[in-house]
């Protein structure tokens, strides 16, 4: 890796980290679109600051970003409250207008000075490391100094206001009752978002900065529910984005900032698919397990009811396959699963019956079903022919504790609305 590669990756890491840390709080506050609005709406402030100061960097630019962040947030709140429109609609009204104004101003300024609107919009990460400043005998890219300042300010803000940021992000009403100024914390967060956005312009530009501001945080949020771990995972995603994005851009000879946005998007897609709790694969597995459990319990309940009706304890696979509730299921696999769990036993060729453990499990399912029917009749006044179907669905989700509560509420004699006995409850473990 050459020195140019090293500095470019370091610039990208500083940019991504500064963005993703603040992005975590924006995501938790459900203000991701507001972060997008600020990242675009600071453009007119930058143009005005340049006209007044004649400089493209410095504290005047940061001050302009902070002012425009406050102006954007205030305008959005004003439109939301005065025009009586939803907050997302007010964001959609304010930030395109400010962004368009910024583009016009920058285009007018760029006609007379060395200021390329494309650089502001898309960034110049590929050559950012070539513009260096001397720190003693050491040469460092100028944009890295700017990003390092923004990164340190964001880190200092999070460390000093950790408690306030956490409480206001999850429960602003509770924060207000505790004497924490939730509104002030939100405005401070918006100011830092604006300054980080400005510092990131030369790295990823105003359009792609939103990917670095939100997507790492969204990826981390899919993988954890703890804030400190969310910040750590978002940081890891940001660093991987910088490294892989730069290598991919060099390999394909394309925009580094654009490749970074693609890489972070792929990481988000992987999190969507593979997240252990919220991922698509995990949901598919849970749904499959739930379907198997329901099919298992339907077999147990059917055997229990058949024993009540006919007194027969053993049945064949062919008899069970005609059960309408099990249409589309492989009955043989269900029986094998129940035998492995010790809930069924083979009594003869192709004949099976409930074990003692299976009888207890089936009894609990039937109890849940009939208690729910009694509850629906008493509190919902449903006719008898409308009780079985909803109870059939709910019986799989009414555990022993809820069964006990239902029995206490019903004060009935142990008979369901159809005159069938409600099995007694087994002692809770």
């Amino acid at each position: 890796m050459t020195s140019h590669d090293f500095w470019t990756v370091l610039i990208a890491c500083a940019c991504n980290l500064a963005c993703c840390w603040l992005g975590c709080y924006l995501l938790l506050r459900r203000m991701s679109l507001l972060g997008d609005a600020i990242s675009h709406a600071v453009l007119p402030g930058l143009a005005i600051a340049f006209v007044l100061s004649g400089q493209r960097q410095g504290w005047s630019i940061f001050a302009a970003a902070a002012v425009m962040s406050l102006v954007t947030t205030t305008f959005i709140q004003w439109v939301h409250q005065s025009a009586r429109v939803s907050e997302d609609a007010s964001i959609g009204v304010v930030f395109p207008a400010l962004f368009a104004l910024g583009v016009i101003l920058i285009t007018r300024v760029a006609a007379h000075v060395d200021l390329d609107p494309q650089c502001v919009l898309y960034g110049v990460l590929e050559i950012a490391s070539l513009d260096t400043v001397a720190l003693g005998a050491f040469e460092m890219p100028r944009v890295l100094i700017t990003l390092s300042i923004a990164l340190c300010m964001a880190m200092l803000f999070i460390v000093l206001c950790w408690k306030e940021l956490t409480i206001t992000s999850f429960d602003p009403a509770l924060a207000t009752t505790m004497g924490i100024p939730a509104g002030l914390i939100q405005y401070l967060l918006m100011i830092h978002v604006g300054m980080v956005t400005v510092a990131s312009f030369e790295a990823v530009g105003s359009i792609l900065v939103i990917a670095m501001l939100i997507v790492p945080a969204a990826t981390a949020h899919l993988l954890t529910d703890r804030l400190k771990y969310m910040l750590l995972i978002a940081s890891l995603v940001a660093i991987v984005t910088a490294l892989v994005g730069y290598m991919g851009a060099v390999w394909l000879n394309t925009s580094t900032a654009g490749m970074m946005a693609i890489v972070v998007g792929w990481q988000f897609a992987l999190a969507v698919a593979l997240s252990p709790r919220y991922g698509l694969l995990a949901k598919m597995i849970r749904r499959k397990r739930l379907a198997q459990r329901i099919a298992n319990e339907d077999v147990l309940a059917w055997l229990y009811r058949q024993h009540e009706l006919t007194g027969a304890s053993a049945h064949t696979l062919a008899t069970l396959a005609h059960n309408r509730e099990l249409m589309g299921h492989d009955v043989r696999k269900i029986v094998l699963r129940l035998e492995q769990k010790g809930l069924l036993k083979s009594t003869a060729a192709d004949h099976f019956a409930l074990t003692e453990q299976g009888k207890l499990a089936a009894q609990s399912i039937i109890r849940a079903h009939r208690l729910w029917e009694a509850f629906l009749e008493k509190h919902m006044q449903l006719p008898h022919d409308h009780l079985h179907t909803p109870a059939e669905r709910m019986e799989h989700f009414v555990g022993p504790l809820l069964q006990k509560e239902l029995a206490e509420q019903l004060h009935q004699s142990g008979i369901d609305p159809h005159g069938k006995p409600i099995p007694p409850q087994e002692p809770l473990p």
Side-chain angles (χ1 to χ4, degrees):
M1 177 181 287
T2 65
S3 61
H4 171 72
D5 297 333
F6 172 77
W7 287 120
T8 303
V9 171
L10 196 59
I11 291 169
C13 287
C15 170
N16 294 356
L17 288 172
C19 289
C20 77
W21 289 345
L22 298 177
C24 288
Y25 291 99
L26 290 176
L27 188 74
L28 292 174
R29 291 165 178 262
R30 299 183 179 181
M31 296 169 61
S32 300
L33 187 57
L34 184 56
D36 188 12
I38 289 175
S39 69
H40 289 73
V42 294
L43 280 179
L46 301 184
I48 295 172
F50 177 78
V51 171
L52 296 177
S53 66
Q55 297 179 349
R56 290 178 296 173
Q57 59 266 352
W59 288 107
S60 61
I61 299 297
F62 280 96
V67 171
M68 285 306 301
S69 300
L70 290 176
V71 169
T72 303
T73 305
T74 303
F75 274 6
I76 289 172
Q77 290 298 323
W78 179 76
V79 172
H80 171 54
Q81 295 172 0
S82 62
R84 296 183 179 180
V85 298
S86 61
E87 189 169 1
D88 58 343
S90 63
I91 292 174
V93 169
V94 173
F95 101 76
L98 293 177
F99 181 56
L101 176 62
V103 171
I104 293 172
L105 290 175
I106 287 179
T107 304
R108 296 289 296 175
V109 171
H112 306 287
V113 297
D114 181 21
L115 182 62
D116 186 1
Q118 299 298 318
C119 295
V120 177
L121 296 178
Y122 307 123
V124 286
L125 184 56
E126 295 83 356
I127 61 174
S129 63
L130 302 179
D131 182 11
T132 61
V133 294
L135 295 178
F138 192 68
E139 292 284 335
M140 178 179 289
R142 178 185 54 80
V143 68
L144 181 59
I145 297 176
T146 305
L147 283 170
S148 298
I149 293 172
L151 178 63
C152 291
M153 291 179 65
M155 182 186 299
L156 188 63
F157 172 59
I158 291 173
V159 171
L160 293 180
C161 300
W162 174 265
K163 179 183 69 175
E164 291 80 5
L165 278 169
T166 303
I167 296 176
T168 55
S169 295
F170 289 101
D171 196 339
L174 175 62
T176 302
T177 59
M178 295 173 63
I180 298 174
L184 176 61
I185 296 297
Q186 177 170 325
Y187 279 115
L188 289 175
L189 177 61
M190 295 304 107
I191 289 173
H192 282 81
V193 170
M195 290 189 294
V196 166
T197 297
V198 173
S200 303
F201 273 1
E202 290 187 74
V204 297
S206 66
I207 292 179
L208 291 177
V209 70
I210 192 63
M212 308 310 160
L213 193 64
I214 299 303
V215 182
T219 304
H221 193 41
L222 286 171
L223 300 175
T224 182
D225 292 325
R226 299 292 298 276
L227 178 57
K228 60 181 180 180
Y229 296 134
M230 182 178 175
L231 290 168
L232 290 174
I233 295 174
S235 301
L236 180 61
V237 171
I239 293 172
V240 171
T241 298
L243 291 171
V244 178
Y246 180 71
M247 290 188 294
V250 171
W251 180 46
L252 297 176
N253 191 26
T254 187
S255 167
T256 304
M259 182 58 67
M260 285 166 51
I262 291 175
V263 170
V264 77
W266 274 108
Q267 291 180 83
F268 177 76
L270 287 175
V272 169
L274 304 177
S275 171
R277 182 172 181 182
Y278 304 109
L280 297 178
L281 182 60
K283 290 180 180 178
M284 289 175 58
I285 294 174
R286 286 197 295 270
R287 283 197 293 267
K288 183 176 180 180
R289 289 177 177 174
L290 177 61
Q292 289 179 349
R293 180 173 70 83
I294 290 175
N296 293 346
E297 292 178 353
D298 284 341
V299 169
L300 296 177
W302 183 84
L303 292 173
Y304 188 94
R305 291 190 178 98
Q306 290 300 309
H307 182 69
E308 279 187 327
L309 290 172
T310 65
S313 58
H315 298 273
T316 64
L317 288 173
T319 304
L320 185 60
H322 287 87
N323 183 3
R324 63 177 181 82
E325 298 170 3
L326 298 173
M327 297 297 292
H329 290 276
D330 190 334
V331 177
R332 186 176 295 276
K333 287 185 178 180
I334 298 174
V335 170
L336 288 175
R337 285 200 302 267
L338 292 173
E339 285 182 332
Q340 291 173 356
K341 294 177 180 293
L343 301 177
L344 286 184
K345 60 183 178 180
S346 298
T347 58
D350 257 354
H351 282 70
F352 52 89
L354 292 170
T355 63
E356 290 301 319
Q357 184 181 354
K359 290 177 182 177
L360 293 177
Q363 181 175 298
S364 177
I365 299 165
I366 297 299
R367 175 177 171 80
H369 180 99
R370 293 175 181 174
L371 282 173
W372 195 254
E373 285 186 334
F375 178 84
L376 292 177
E377 182 196 42
K378 180 178 181 179
H379 295 284
M380 306 298 177
Q381 287 82 44
L382 293 180
H384 286 189
D385 59 346
H386 285 63
L387 296 176
H388 179 76
T389 299
E392 193 175 45
R393 295 174 181 172
M394 283 299 299
E395 66 186 19
H396 306 287
F397 307 99
V398 180
L401 291 176
L402 185 53
Q403 291 178 24
K404 183 179 179 181
E405 288 187 32
L406 288 172
E408 291 173 352
Q409 286 187 22
L410 294 172
H411 302 294
Q412 43 78 39
S413 59
I415 302 297
D416 76 350
H418 299 99
K420 297 178 181 178
I422 298 177
Q425 183 172 24
E426 292 298 317
L428 295 176

